Amino acid sequence: VEFMSRNRKRPFFVYMPQAMPGSTRAPFASEAFRGKSANGPWGDSVEELDWSTGEILGALKRLGLDEQTLVVWTNDNGAPRRNPPQGSNLPLAGWGYTTAEGGMRSPCIMRWQALIS
């Protein structure tokens, strides 16, 4: 957000890969989000990721950049098979780290207020 504020008068590129929830046994969530979700550590991490995305989109709006900025939100693979389960790939079959459709198809959301409707 600070970088965008400093560079709002000129074109810029931000690549911000989030390392959460991640493919670890204990997904990361900061202290502010730890233990807050009904879905355990996985849910805590996803809630923080959601908050972070909202902060970025809110900053773009406050800075008057939301109409002219392409935001791409995606991930790298489907939910891994774990016990207890950490997410779901439904309605697709399979789990992350496999060649099944649920392991390879990933969401991709693109937002550019002025050009994508």
Side-chain angles (χ1 to χ4, degrees):
V1 171
E2 229 176 87
F3 174 84
M4 293 186 308
S5 295
R6 284 193 318 267
N7 293 282
R8 70 176 176 243
K9 302 275 187 209
R10 60 186 185 157
F12 62 82
F13 175 83
V14 174
Y15 173 68
M16 191 177 129
Q18 293 279 19
M20 52 192 197
S23 300
T24 63
R25 290 267 174 220
F28 176 80
S30 70
E31 193 173 322
F33 288 86
R34 220 169 288 142
K36 305 292 184 191
S37 167
N39 292 311
W42 181 268
D44 297 344
S45 185
V46 170
E47 286 191 18
E48 185 163 2
L49 181 60
D50 180 61
W51 168 83
S52 174
T53 302
E55 289 293 300
I56 293 164
L57 295 176
L60 289 171
K61 188 169 185 74
R62 281 191 310 278
L63 295 168
L65 300 173
D66 58 332
E67 294 286 324
Q68 60 197 32
T69 301
L70 172 63
V71 176
V72 179
W73 194 97
T74 188
N75 77 337
D76 60 352
N77 59 335
R81 186 175 195 158
R82 298 259 167 76
N83 192 10
Q86 294 181 323
S88 168
N89 300 314
L90 292 175
L92 307 175
W95 295 95
Y97 309 108
T98 69
T99 56
E101 194 172 14
M104 299 182 75
R105 280 184 58 184
S106 299
C108 179
I109 302 167
M110 294 189 181
R111 176 183 180 264
W112 192 346
Q113 299 280 82
L115 296 176
I116 300 174
S117 55

